[in-house]
Amino acid sequence: MEVTQKLRKLGILGGELDKYIYHLINNDFLNEKRFSEHYVRGKFNNNDWGRIKIIRELESLKISVVNINNGLSEINQEDYLKKIRVLSKKIMNENIDKPKEKIKEKIYSRLEYKGWEKELIFEEINNLVN
C-alpha cells in the first residue's frame, strides 16, 4: 500500500504502476510476510506493544490476516508474559508513593494504550498490587 502511494505521488499510474509493483514483488523487494515479521518484532521489542496494537496497526497498513498471524508467531509466549510483567513492575515502581487504586489505574491505562490484552493486564495487577 505504501509503495503504491509513493509511486502515485511520483506520477506513475495505471498499467505502469502495476509493472513496477510486479517487478518489486517478483524480485523479492516487496514481501508482505517479511515486512510483517520485522514489524511485529520491532514493535514488540522496541516499543513494548502488545498483540492488540500490533494487529490494529498492521490492519491499517492493509496487511493480510495470514501475514499478520505469521508475524505474530514471531512473539514467543514466554517472552510476551515476561515483558508484561516487567512493564507492570516498572509502572508500579514509578508510582510507588501513590495509593493502590491509582497504581492499578496507571498500570491498566498504560498497558491498554500499548495494546496488551485486558485479561493479562488484570492478572498482572492482581499479582503485583494485591
Side-chain angles (χ1 to χ4, degrees):
M1 181 180 86
E2 291 176 356
V3 173
T4 302
Q5 288 173 347
K6 182 68 174 175
L7 289 171
R8 284 187 179 136
K9 282 183 184 177
L10 294 172
I12 300 168
L13 303 169
E16 194 176 344
L17 175 74
D18 293 337
K19 286 179 190 174
Y20 278 104
I21 297 295
Y22 176 78
H23 174 76
L24 292 171
I25 291 171
N26 244 17
N27 291 297
D28 209 27
F29 291 111
L30 277 182
N31 185 318
E32 195 176 89
K33 178 180 182 275
R34 186 177 62 224
F35 172 81
S36 61
E37 290 170 352
H38 288 282
Y39 188 90
V40 168
R41 277 195 306 269
K43 296 304 181 183
F44 175 70
N45 292 324
N46 301 327
N47 295 41
D48 300 326
W49 286 7
R51 287 188 185 105
I52 294 170
K53 187 164 186 171
I54 292 170
I55 292 168
R56 187 175 40 231
E57 293 301 315
L58 285 171
E59 286 172 344
S60 76
L61 295 171
K62 308 287 189 240
I63 302 298
S64 70
V65 173
V66 170
N67 285 320
I68 290 173
N69 291 333
N70 185 58
L72 289 172
S73 70
E74 293 289 308
I75 302 174
N76 177 307
Q77 183 64 15
E78 197 175 302
D79 294 339
Y80 195 72
L81 296 174
K82 191 175 176 181
K83 171 123 6 199
I84 194 170
R85 212 164 286 124
V86 168
L87 292 171
S88 299
K89 285 179 183 178
K90 179 181 175 191
I91 297 165
M92 188 178 87
N93 290 335
E94 291 169 356
N95 296 282
I96 199 75
D97 57 329
K98 296 186 174 134
K100 277 186 178 183
E101 288 308 310
K102 273 287 185 206
I103 295 172
K104 289 178 182 181
E105 287 174 25
K106 289 278 187 187
I107 292 171
Y108 179 81
S109 64
R110 295 248 304 265
L111 292 177
E112 195 221 9
Y113 174 77
K114 288 204 171 248
W116 292 84
E117 293 87 341
K118 291 178 184 181
E119 313 82 56
L120 293 177
I121 298 171
F122 288 130
E123 191 175 308
E124 283 307 308
I125 288 172
N126 289 331
N127 289 338
L128 289 174
V129 184
N130 290 335

